[in-house]
Amino acid sequence: MKIFEANISYQVSVFLKEKLINVTSFESANQKMFDVCGIKYFFDNNDDFKSLILLITNTNKDLVAEPDREEYGDFQTNADLANKVAKYLSTKGISPKLVIEPTCGKGNFIIASLNNFKEIQTIIGIEIYKPYVWETKFNILDFFLLNSDSNKPEIKIIHSSVFDFDFQEISKQFQSEDLLVIGNPPWVTNSKLGSLNSTNQPKKNNFKNQNGLDAITGKGNFDIAEYITIMLLDAFQTHNGFLSLLVKNSVVKNIVFEQKIKKYQIKEIEKYCIDSKKEFNVSVEASLLYCKLNSKPTFECKEFDFYSVESKLKFGWLNSKFVSNIDNYLETSQVDNICPFVWRQGIKHDCTAIMELERVNSHFVNNLSQDIRIEEDLVFGFLKSSDLKNIVIEKTRKHTIVTQKKVGQETNYIKELYPQTYEYLNNNLNRFMDRKSSIYNGKPKFSIFGIGDYSFKPYKVAISGLYKTYHFTLVLPQNKKPVMLDDTCYFIGFEKIEYAVYSIILLNSKITEEFLRSITFPDAKRVFTKDLLMRLDLLKLAQLITRQEIDEQIILLNNKYTLNVDFSKWAGFLDEMKPEKDKQMTIFD
Ligand SMILES: C[S@@+](CC[C@H](N)C(=O)[O-])C[C@H]1O[C@@H](n2cnc3c(N)ncnc32)[C@H](O)[C@@H]1O
């Protein structure tokens, strides 16, 4: 049964009918409800009270279809999981006086807290969606109708956006109470909210200080849950107590990462991995983040399986390095330095329909299946993450139009030099104008990003940023032209095939894989990033790997791909990687 779009049990609806039918003011109704279930303001005002009376005497009238709640990141925690979380916390000896649920939804964490913590004096729940505020209140009432002898804290369920709520005020008011912040903040990112034109956003939306470049690299994208967790740490880090929130794994990682700078007064940072498919029917890796407040800051996080509490690994800061597996990292840490070559992200054009072409006989076909006849000059072979499966790539499935040689270059030159290409691009101008990202604002018409001299290097060594395959690919020129990669890929480029081959051998070595495994987070949206790849010291790797191993790999590659590469340029390669001041004059290179 539903009232105000909120589920209500039969028992609660009967209770409300019997107890409130003859009550005339909402103040006396509130007093009655407080006595039964501890909720301080069951009815916010007289209108709330009158509408409820009307509905319970005439139930089932308000059955409204659930609205689209994508912008609210609405994944309600099931009662069983909420109860397991609270129970586990109580086995750790946690028994709060004050419980705060920042986005309480239907209230399952509040009920779980009532079930498991017997010394609570105050509960504060906040929720933006009014039907859930009602449902939480109904659920609390239901709990006390079933458990009338249970400890009855003072409870406030507040209809508000968490972003408008003054946690600092609560922090001052309850300075000395033992606190538990518990819940499951919304699972939605600021980029998703942007694309939905949603106003359900923090006011200080730029809390990661993102700029135009971050929009390209994806660094400016953050989870609303991360923002909320940080709000809560800001307000309560100096309180005695604990914070325990279900969040995406990326949020836990970011909180630990930020800890180096923020130095929140938290310790015993722990992450309990849950099965999100089973609990929420979604394919997002999520965990319970747990930490003790009001403590000397710590910088690492222990990871466990939530169900077995089996310890998995430890990640976090080891001196000045952020690593995903502290124990394994120690075995390969000697290659953690600075890569002598600059890793680059591939081309971003945000116009797949027009910019991605397939060659069919003597012409091209675009992603809209239109036949395109344009000059060859600006068309280059193009690889995406999914293409980087083999060790060596000589031929591409796709092509792209490279409209600029560097970012910001005027694109009008195309009209004169390549009239067919210009006509094709200009006929589709609206598609370029419709590109959402602000990075294209005020830029030449057919602008692309991730382009520079480096894009035109003939030999490239590339990896997909998206896949958790620790595997690098050698990309060879196609028809004497360099091949381009898309912005999901990272690469280093070389003029000499030998340098590219030596690099691929070093990068596909066991030691590189072990090192990368100890610094990457396989559940991240982008497993590899430029920052991460820049940590690979290729010079150190070249010193660690034996001549015999390199020789063997050169022979294998030559046999399989007829590359005709030998060891003769190795010294020049090493020299190229040395810092400027250490370089030798290599005459015969
Ligand atoms: C992931 S659900 C979890 C709900 C509840 N904490 C639980 O564990 O079942 C997130 C909740 O946050 C609420 N919410 C979304 N944006 C909010 C905001 N700005 N302020 C308060 N609550 C919000 C949603 O309506 C939803 O109930």
Side-chain angles (χ1 to χ4, degrees):
M1 193 187 335
K2 281 195 171 194
I3 279 188
F4 295 140
E5 299 169 52
N7 293 304
I8 183 167
S9 70
Y10 178 70
Q11 159 173 253
V12 167
S13 79
V14 169
F15 172 86
L16 289 171
K17 235 182 258 186
E18 284 175 9
K19 296 286 171 192
L20 298 182
I21 210 90
N22 294 321
V23 178
T24 48
S25 78
F26 87 99
E27 287 92 348
S28 39
N30 272 346
Q31 185 57 50
K32 264 187 195 296
M33 301 310 290
F34 181 71
D35 294 343
V36 181
C37 65
I39 298 180
K40 194 76 201 275
Y41 303 107
F42 200 96
F43 303 105
D44 287 343
N45 48 46
N46 208 32
D47 282 352
D48 265 6
F49 170 59
K50 286 279 178 295
S51 345
L52 182 87
I53 297 294
L54 205 69
L55 280 172
I56 51 173
T57 46
N58 205 357
T59 40
N60 274 350
K61 274 209 163 161
D62 199 39
L63 285 175
V64 179
E66 186 91 343
D68 182 0
R69 308 210 68 250
E70 199 178 359
E71 64 178 307
Y72 296 100
D74 188 357
F75 294 89
Q76 299 293 309
T77 312
N78 63 66
D80 184 47
L81 177 60
N83 201 50
K84 277 190 189 131
V85 169
K87 198 177 210 139
Y88 178 65
L89 296 178
S90 86
T91 61
K92 272 177 161 289
I94 295 173
S95 183
K97 299 268 180 348
L98 169 65
V99 169
I100 296 179
E101 217 297 23
T103 56
C104 69
K106 301 181 179 185
N108 281 332
F109 272 113
I110 293 180
I111 301 301
S113 297
L114 288 169
N115 262 318
N116 289 280
F117 309 123
K118 296 300 169 200
E119 294 175 310
I120 313 177
Q121 292 167 356
T122 311
I123 295 181
I124 298 172
I126 299 122
E127 169 59 46
I128 198 168
Y129 187 46
K130 189 73 192 260
Y132 288 169
V133 173
W134 279 119
E135 193 156 332
T136 299
K137 289 176 177 174
F138 295 153
N139 285 337
I140 294 169
L141 178 54
D142 196 46
F143 173 85
F144 283 107
L145 292 179
L146 290 169
N147 305 278
S148 52
D149 293 338
S150 189
N151 162 49
K152 203 175 297 153
E154 185 175 301
I155 304 174
K156 283 187 188 157
I157 307 299
I158 298 159
H159 179 214
S160 162
S161 167
V162 70
F163 305 123
D164 299 331
F165 190 77
D166 192 351
F167 286 106
Q168 301 288 350
E169 180 54 39
I170 298 289
S171 162
K172 273 187 230 142
Q173 199 184 332
F174 295 94
Q175 193 56 252
S176 59
E177 306 292 357
D178 280 344
L179 167 72
L180 174 64
V181 178
I182 191 169
N184 170 9
W187 299 25
V188 64
T189 63
N190 65 329
S191 314
K192 184 78 207 172
L193 293 175
S195 71
L196 294 171
N197 283 328
S198 168
T199 53
N200 187 27
Q201 303 228 27
K203 293 192 181 71
K204 211 171 82 191
N205 199 353
N206 202 14
F207 95 115
K208 293 235 163 184
N209 294 325
Q210 71 258 41
N211 51 34
L213 189 69
D214 291 340
I216 304 173
T217 59
K219 270 189 190 169
N221 191 20
F222 62 87
D223 265 273
I224 293 302
E226 183 180 337
Y227 184 92
I228 294 173
T229 309
I230 285 177
M231 264 172 85
L232 294 161
L233 287 174
D234 275 331
F236 298 113
Q237 58 177 316
T238 57
H239 279 246
N240 280 336
F242 300 86
L243 175 134
S244 181
L245 296 173
L246 282 175
V247 286
K248 287 188 206 163
N249 285 359
S250 55
V251 173
V252 184
K253 182 186 95 180
N254 290 350
I255 300 280
V256 181
F257 184 81
E258 291 294 324
Q259 184 61 352
K260 187 84 178 163
I261 299 161
K262 299 273 179 56
K263 298 191 173 52
Y264 284 114
Q265 296 181 42
I266 53 176
K267 70 171 185 184
E268 292 167 25
I269 310 172
E270 290 169 1
K271 169 185 169 190
Y272 294 87
C273 305
I274 59 155
D275 178 348
S276 320
K277 189 80 200 146
K278 175 180 126 198
E279 308 289 1
F280 296 98
N281 199 21
V282 285
S283 304
V284 177
E285 302 292 334
S287 303
L288 181 73
L289 163 67
Y290 162 93
C291 62
K292 183 168 167 38
L293 306 167
N294 201 20
S295 311
K296 189 163 175 264
T298 55
F299 303 93
E300 60 179 51
C301 175
K302 280 191 188 148
E303 192 170 309
F304 301 87
D305 175 76
F306 175 72
Y307 307 95
S308 63
V309 198
E310 194 181 307
S311 169
K312 292 169 84 172
L313 51 85
K314 252 186 325 190
F315 72 89
W317 290 96
L318 200 67
N319 305 318
S320 61
K321 304 288 186 184
F322 191 67
V323 304
S324 59
N325 186 326
I326 290 177
D327 295 333
N328 289 357
Y329 170 81
L330 292 170
E331 287 164 30
T332 54
S333 59
Q334 68 269 42
V335 297
D336 196 352
N337 199 2
I338 295 175
C339 184
F341 304 115
V342 179
W343 284 92
R344 306 283 184 175
Q345 194 172 351
I347 291 177
K348 177 177 174 69
H349 52 60
D350 289 311
C351 202
T352 305
I354 305 306
M355 294 290 262
E356 287 186 14
L357 311 173
E358 270 178 49
R359 191 184 285 281
V360 179
N361 304 324
S362 60
H363 68 284
F364 296 102
V365 175
N366 69 10
N367 263 18
L368 303 172
S369 304
Q370 297 164 334
D371 286 346
I372 312 298
R373 281 166 212 281
I374 57 175
E375 298 86 354
E376 287 278 340
D377 300 61
L378 299 185
V379 180
F380 290 77
F382 194 48
L383 296 170
K384 295 160 158 281
S385 273
S386 55
D387 296 317
L388 298 183
K389 289 187 194 108
N390 297 332
I391 307 268
V392 178
I393 294 182
E394 296 161 295
K395 199 169 176 326
T396 65
R397 191 170 54 92
K398 296 244 173 201
H399 294 73
T400 193
I401 306 173
V402 179
T403 53
Q404 294 168 307
K405 283 211 157 54
K406 60 177 197 272
V407 171
Q409 182 193 348
E410 253 317 320
T411 53
N412 282 337
Y413 79 95
I414 304 172
K415 190 172 188 175
E416 209 166 296
L417 296 181
Y418 310 109
Q420 287 173 297
T421 308
Y422 187 83
E423 193 186 350
Y424 168 63
L425 294 172
N426 211 39
N427 286 345
N428 291 291
L429 184 59
N430 56 338
R431 297 219 177 230
F432 288 94
M433 302 308 257
D434 284 351
R435 294 186 288 184
K436 278 219 170 100
S437 173
S438 60
I439 57 171
Y440 298 105
N441 294 349
K443 289 279 181 305
K445 287 194 284 207
F446 310 118
S447 279
I448 56 179
F449 281 85
I451 189 81
D453 290 347
Y454 54 85
S455 315
F456 298 92
K457 299 261 177 181
Y459 302 100
K460 294 183 175 124
V461 173
I463 186 165
S464 152
L466 305 183
Y467 296 140
K468 45 185 163 195
T469 45
Y470 295 78
H471 157 77
F472 293 81
T473 297
L474 172 65
V475 180
L476 299 176
Q478 182 170 242
N479 302 328
K480 302 209 169 86
K481 283 170 85 172
V483 164
M484 303 291 157
L485 293 124
D486 82 355
D487 63 339
T488 63
C489 308
Y490 298 87
F491 67 93
I492 41 180
F494 298 95
E495 294 293 344
K496 297 186 176 72
I497 186 170
E498 287 81 3
Y499 289 11
V501 169
Y502 302 152
S503 299
I504 195 105
I505 292 172
L506 298 178
L507 290 167
N508 282 333
S509 67
K510 197 80 206 130
I511 177 163
T512 305
E513 179 174 340
E514 276 165 20
F515 169 64
L516 287 176
R517 279 188 191 280
S518 71
I519 63 165
T520 48
F521 290 80
D523 50 20
K525 214 168 191 177
R526 266 184 201 250
V527 179
F528 299 97
T529 59
K530 174 175 171 150
D531 289 353
L532 217 131
L533 292 162
M534 282 309 296
R535 284 170 65 173
L536 255 172
D537 185 348
L538 271 185
L539 181 59
K540 186 77 197 172
L541 266 170
Q543 290 155 353
L544 288 172
I545 294 176
T546 61
R547 162 85 198 255
Q548 192 194 343
E549 277 175 84
I550 311 260
D551 272 342
E552 279 169 15
Q553 290 303 318
I554 291 179
I555 294 167
L556 274 176
L557 288 168
N558 278 341
N559 286 346
K560 195 155 178 203
Y561 302 101
T562 44
L563 298 178
N564 297 326
V565 167
D566 60 28
F567 203 71
S568 62
K569 300 223 166 28
W570 181 253
F573 176 63
L574 291 187
D575 210 35
E576 179 93 9
M577 292 196 283
K578 285 181 187 153
E580 220 38 56
K581 61 179 170 43
D582 301 338
K583 281 197 177 156
Q584 304 287 320
M585 282 284 291
T586 34
I587 301 163
F588 300 109
D589 190 35

